[in-house]
Amino acid sequence: MRGQLIYNPMAGRFPSQPLVERAARILNANGWEVDIVQTQGGPHITKLAKKAAAAGLDAIFVAGGDGSLHQAAVGLMGTDTALSVLPAGTANVWAQELGLPGLSWTNWTALETSVKKLLNGTIRTMDVGICQGIPFFLWGGVGFDAFIVHHLEPRTRWQKQFPVTQYAANVAWHARTFAGMDLQIWVDGEKISGTYILALVTNIHLYAGGMAELSPGARIDDGKMDLWLFAGDTMLETLQHLVDLASGNHLDSEKACLLTCQDIKIKSKTDLYLQLDGEPVSPARNISISIRPQSLRVMVPRELPRELFSKKLI
C-alpha cells in the first residue's frame, strides 16, 4: 500500500512534526510505504492531493484539522485515493465522528492511536456536497455560523489554545449585531420563504466544534444531505437557538426545521456570509448546493461511535 502523510507545521495548537514522524513509522512498519510532505495549507493541500491521486496512491493521511481535510477532499473527490485523518487540528470534528482522539495537552500519542485504529479499519465511500462549484464533505452554512467564521479566521496558534472559550466569546459578541436573513429557498424544487438566522446543510451528525449533535439521523452515504433552517432575526432568537443546539432541544423547536434533500438554491437581496467545512467562502446572493453521491473514499475505523453509514459493512 502506498500513501502520503501531509502536515502543516503551523496548523493546530501544537508543533506536530515529531508526532507526525512517529505516526509515519507505524504506517511503514505495517505494510505501507509513506512519505511525509510538509505544506503551508490552503490550496497547496488540494494540489498535493490531486498529485497523489494522479500517482495512484492508495491514501493520503492528513495531520491537521477539518480545514486541512476540506482542502484534501477537494483534490480527492472522484478518485480512487482515500482520505484519512490524523487529528492534529483545533476542533477535529470529522475525527470525533470517527471516534479518533485529537491531539491535546493530555494526549500526545493521539496520532499514533489514530493510525493504529485506521490500520485495523476499512475504506468506505461518502457523499460530497458542491456549493458554488466547491466541494465540501461536512457542512455548508449560510448566515450566523459563516458570519462567525469570517470574523474568527485566521487564528494564531496562541488563540487556538482556548478554542471553546474563544469561540463562545466571539459568538456572544457578534450575536449583538447579526440580523436575520430574508431568504427564498428552493429545496428539490419546492419553494420556501422566510427570515432565518442560519441555513445549514450538513452531511454528518456533529456541529460547532463537536459541541452539538445537530443531525443524529444523518447518513454520509445515502445520496442526501440534511438542511436545517433556524428561523428568526433578533439577538435573543439567535442565543436561544445556540442554547437549543447545545442541549439538543433544537430537535423539538418550532423555529428549527429539518429537510432532507439533494438540491438547494438560496437567493437573497443582500450578500450572504458562507462557510464550507468551517472555512470562509466569498459572500454571494445566489447560492446553489447539490450532492455528488459516494464520490469520496475515506478510511474509517471498523467500530464507530455513531451510525454514519446507511449501508452496512459486510
Side-chain angles (χ1 to χ4, degrees):
M1 303 286 281
R2 296 187 303 138
Q4 190 173 83
L5 201 166
I6 299 172
Y7 86 101
N8 181 350
M10 299 307 296
R13 293 183 285 167
F14 312 99
S16 59
Q17 182 174 348
L19 309 176
V20 165
E21 291 173 349
R22 284 158 58 178
R25 285 197 291 270
I26 293 174
L27 286 167
N28 288 325
N30 284 272
W32 282 80
E33 297 178 13
V34 173
D35 295 323
I36 299 175
V37 179
Q38 183 174 310
T39 177
Q40 294 304 312
H44 185 232
I45 297 178
T46 302
K47 183 178 179 180
L48 290 172
K50 288 181 177 179
K51 187 176 180 180
L57 299 189
D58 296 289
I60 63 169
F61 298 82
V62 179
D66 299 312
S68 296
L69 290 168
H70 165 78
Q71 296 291 345
V74 171
L76 295 182
M77 189 186 75
T79 75
D80 292 329
T81 301
L83 175 64
S84 186
V85 58
L86 300 182
T90 306
N92 305 304
V93 178
W94 175 239
Q96 291 182 54
E97 288 279 9
L98 301 183
L100 299 177
L103 192 60
S104 69
W105 288 110
T106 58
N107 190 357
W108 289 99
T109 61
L111 303 191
E112 297 166 72
T113 301
S114 295
V115 162
K116 292 173 183 177
K117 286 189 174 184
L118 292 169
L119 283 171
N120 292 318
T122 186
I123 293 176
R124 306 288 297 269
T125 56
M126 68 180 290
D127 305 329
V128 173
I130 306 292
C131 179
Q132 310 300 79
I134 304 171
F136 67 95
F137 77 116
L138 302 178
W139 337 263
V142 173
F144 185 68
D145 71 338
F147 180 72
I148 296 298
V149 167
H150 277 258
H151 286 82
L152 191 62
E153 300 292 350
R155 286 173 287 174
T156 65
R157 175 161 283 165
W158 184 88
Q159 289 172 318
K160 292 177 181 179
Q161 299 303 321
F162 311 97
V164 175
T165 303
Q166 189 198 23
Y167 184 81
N170 272 274
V171 166
W173 178 258
H174 290 298
R176 302 173 307 113
T177 58
F178 185 80
M181 309 166 291
D182 293 326
L183 301 179
Q184 291 181 307
I185 306 172
W186 286 263
V187 182
D188 289 340
E190 296 291 327
K191 185 178 179 181
I192 301 171
S193 297
T195 302
Y196 301 99
I197 289 165
L198 172 63
L200 178 69
V201 178
T202 183
N203 197 25
I204 61 173
H205 295 213
L206 299 179
Y207 177 61
M211 293 183 289
E213 186 163 10
L214 171 68
S215 218
R219 299 293 181 267
I220 65 175
D221 64 341
D222 62 357
K224 300 177 182 179
M225 288 196 180
D226 288 356
L227 169 64
W228 281 93
L229 299 174
F230 295 89
D233 65 353
T234 68
M235 180 183 73
L236 288 178
E237 287 171 311
T238 301
L239 293 174
Q240 184 61 59
H241 281 309
L242 294 172
V243 171
D244 287 346
L245 276 167
S247 63
N249 289 335
H250 67 289
L251 298 172
D252 300 314
S253 172
E254 294 181 355
K255 291 194 173 184
C257 174
L258 169 62
L259 300 167
T260 302
C261 52
Q262 296 176 309
D263 184 79
I264 303 162
K265 291 180 174 58
I266 301 174
K267 290 188 177 182
S268 171
K269 293 181 179 179
T270 59
D271 285 344
L272 300 170
Y273 284 97
L274 175 63
Q275 64 86 9
L276 300 177
D277 293 337
E279 296 292 294
V281 178
S282 298
R285 298 187 180 193
N286 297 296
I287 295 171
S288 297
I289 300 173
S290 59
I291 309 300
R292 298 278 180 87
Q294 299 187 47
S295 56
L296 179 66
R297 289 165 60 82
V298 289
M299 186 177 290
V300 302
R302 287 191 175 272
E303 294 186 6
L304 299 170
R306 298 169 187 84
E307 193 70 38
L308 287 180
F309 295 93
S310 61
K311 299 174 178 62
K312 301 297 183 182
L313 183 64
I314 300 175

